Amino acid sequence: MNPETKAGRTIVRFGGISVIVVLGGFLLGFFTNVFMDRTPAVRNPAAWKGKISSFQLQLTPFVRKTSEGPRQLLTAVIKSGGLRNAVCRISKAGQLKPVSISLGDLPPGVQQVALPVPVALGDDSVQIVLESESDSKVFGNFLLKPPKKWQLFLVQHTHTDIGYTKSQDEMLAEYFRHIDYALDYCDRTDGYPDDAKFRWTCETSWAVREYLQRRPASQIDRLKRRIREGRIEVTGMLLNLSEVASENAIAASLQPIREFKKLGIPVVTAMQNDVNGAAWSLVDYLGDAGVRYLTMGVNKTRSILPFDRPTVFWWESPSGKRIIAFRADHYMRADAFLPAGSPGPIGEQELRDYLTELEGKKYPFDCIAVQYMGYPTDNSPPALSACDAVKKWNETYLYPKLRLATAREFLDDIASHHATELPVYRAAWPDWWTDGVGSAARETGATRSVHAGLQETEGLFAMASLLGAKVRPGALAQIAAVQDAVLFYDEHTYGA
C-alpha cells in the first residue's frame, strides 16, 4: 500500500487496484489496472481495428413471415473493432449448403444483429463462420431449437381502485364512460382482423350492474350485443375484496350474477386484481353461481407470491367443489410491451424478455393470458392503441401470435385441452394485505358489527317469510343498500 497525494486527492494503491479518495475521507471512485490491461482496444485501438473479438448466438421466440416462408429469428451478439461487408454463415451436419446472411458494415463495439433462418424442426448443433474484409473466425457449436408456438391472449380491463386516482364520488361516472368508450371502440374496429379487434373485460360487476340500471336503453342494447359477440365480457366479482368481508357478505356480493343471467348475460369468469389472496369460500359460491374460472392478477408488493410462474390449477374447497383458478402475472404486465395509449409498435425486446423468462421458468403451455390497461394506471380508461399494434405484429410475425381477448378465452382453451393435466390445490389463499384494516381499527370494528347484524336481520326475515309474514315494502332494498355499504368498506382500498 503506497499512498500519495495529487491535486488535493489521496490515491492509495493495493496491488493492481487504485482507490481515489478526497482528503476529507469520502470515497470518490476506483479503477483497476488489471481491468485496463485486459482491454487492449482501450490502450491500443489500432490493434483491434477490423478484428473479430467474440460471437454469441441467442435464440428468440420470434418467427417472421417472409416471401421465402417462415423464418426463425436468432440474435447474434458480435464484438469487434468494426467490420466491413460482414457475412455470417450458419451450417449444420448433413446440410449441403450453409445459410449465408449479409450483415453489411458493423461499427466497433458490441452489436446485436438479427439472423433470419429456416425454422428448426428439431434440436440441431450449428457452426458459425463470421467473415469480413479484414478477419474471419469460426464459432461453435451452438444448439438451435425449434421455437415455441406461442399464443398470447391480451386482456384489457380497468382496475377498479375506488378513491385511488379520484375521489370516491367521481368513480362511477368514470366507469360508465369506460363502458361507453369500449362500445365505441368495438364499433371502430369491426373491420379489423379478428385477433386485432378491440375487446374489453369488465373487471367488477358493480359498474355493470349500475350501468344496466342507469344508462339509456340504446346503450344497454349495444352492451348486450357486444357481450353476445364475445367482444365484451362481464365478470362475477362485485369489487376487489379484502379479507374483512364475512362469508355471508361474499355470498351476497355475487347477487348481480343472478340479475345478469335474467338479462341473458353469461358470467363464467371471476376476476380479482391487485389483491394477493381470495376467500376460500369463493370456490363454493362461484361454482354454485355457474362461474367456472377465477383469474387473479396479483400484486406481489409486500406479500409472498404463490408459485414461481403464472400457474393454472384446480382450486378445491373443503367441500370438494372445484373451479379452475389462474395465478396470473401483475394485472398491468402486458403494458411493458404494448403501446400505452398512443400509437406505437409492440416492444419487441420487452416481449422477448417476457417469453424467455416464462420458458426459463418451465411454464408448461404454449398459450398464456396477460393483462393490460389502456394506460398504465389504475382506473384507466380503455385505449385503441393495442389494436393497430397487434394488427401490424400479426402481419409481420407468425409466432408469437397475439390476440386481443376477454378473460375467459385463455381459460376456455386450457379447460378444453389441459383440464386433466392441471394440479389440484386444496388450500387457502390468504391475502397478505389484511393488516391494512388496522389503519382504521374503529371503523373496521363497526363494519364487522354491521356484518353480524345483517346476518341476524336476514335470518329473521327468512323465518318470518316462511311463517307467512309479509315483508314491508322497501325493506329488502334497504337491506341491499346496507349490504353494499359494508362491501364498499371491505373493498381493497379499505373504506372506499
Side-chain angles (χ1 to χ4, degrees), residues 316-328:
E316 185 175 278
S317 76
S319 70
K321 293 180 180 179
R322 296 178 180 179
I323 60 172
I324 291 178
F326 176 39
R327 194 286 275 167

Side-chain angles (χ1 to χ4, degrees), residues 431-474:
D431 170 16
W432 288 81
W433 294 348
T434 303
D435 59 345
V437 301
S439 63
R442 181 181 60 184
E443 291 82 357
T444 299
T447 303
R448 299 284 288 184
S449 295
V450 175
H451 275 301
L454 264 177
Q455 192 163 348
E456 294 165 0
T457 301
E458 289 171 343
L460 289 170
F461 268 98
M463 288 188 287
S465 180
L466 287 172
L467 293 172
K470 291 184 178 181
V471 177
R472 177 175 56 82

Side-chain angles (χ1 to χ4, degrees), residues 9 24 76 120 125 147 150 178 235 243 246 275 298 327 343 381 466:
R9 298 180 177 88
S125 180
W150 278 106
H178 294 174
T235 60
E243 283 192 340
S246 67
V275 185
V298 172
R327 194 286 275 167
L466 287 172

Side-chain angles (χ1 to χ4, degrees), residues 1-204:
M1 182 175 73
N2 300 303
E4 60 181 284
T5 301
K6 291 183 180 180
R9 298 180 177 88
T10 299
I11 303 175
V12 184
R13 291 189 171 86
F14 299 83
I17 301 177
S18 298
V19 179
I20 305 174
V21 295
V22 299
L23 290 179
F26 295 97
L27 178 66
L28 180 66
F30 69 90
F31 64 90
T32 70
N33 294 335
V34 174
F35 175 77
M36 296 187 71
D37 288 342
R38 289 180 178 175
T39 315
V42 175
R43 289 192 308 141
N44 186 7
W48 195 41
K49 186 176 180 180
K51 298 297 184 182
I52 299 169
S53 176
S54 64
F55 181 96
Q56 295 176 16
L57 189 66
Q58 298 175 353
L59 302 179
T60 82
F62 304 138
V63 177
R64 184 182 290 165
K65 298 175 182 178
T66 76
S67 58
E68 299 173 340
R71 288 295 181 265
Q72 179 176 356
L73 290 188
L74 311 176
T75 297
V77 182
I78 300 168
K79 183 178 180 181
S80 75
L83 305 176
R84 289 183 57 80
N85 297 322
V87 176
C88 181
R89 307 188 196 282
I90 306 172
S91 60
K92 64 179 181 179
Q95 186 180 33
L96 296 178
K97 185 178 179 181
V99 175
S100 262
I101 302 169
S102 176
L103 307 181
D105 296 341
L106 299 179
V110 178
Q111 307 297 329
Q112 289 195 10
V113 182
L115 304 177
V117 301
V119 178
L121 300 178
D123 291 0
D124 286 317
S125 180
V126 298
Q127 187 179 71
I128 305 293
V129 177
L130 183 61
E131 300 174 341
S132 70
E133 292 181 0
S134 56
D135 200 3
S136 176
K137 283 192 177 180
V138 178
F139 300 92
N141 292 312
F142 297 101
L143 183 61
L144 186 60
K145 294 183 175 183
K148 203 168 187 177
K149 296 179 179 180
W150 278 106
Q151 165 82 69
L152 270 69
F153 296 90
L154 304 173
V155 180
Q156 185 175 183
H157 61 95
T158 193
H159 175 49
T160 309
D161 214 335
I162 300 169
Y164 188 68
T165 56
K166 287 188 177 181
S167 62
Q168 288 92 332
D169 58 359
E170 295 180 88
M171 295 316 304
L172 187 58
E174 286 287 296
Y175 299 142
F176 283 2
R177 280 192 285 272
H178 294 174
I179 297 175
D180 287 340
Y181 293 154
L183 293 170
D184 291 343
Y185 294 164
C186 285
D187 294 344
R188 289 173 59 178
T189 57
D190 277 339
Y192 278 47
D194 190 58
D195 286 342
K197 290 179 177 178
F198 178 88
R199 288 179 175 81
W200 179 255
T201 296
C202 300
E203 180 198 56
T204 62

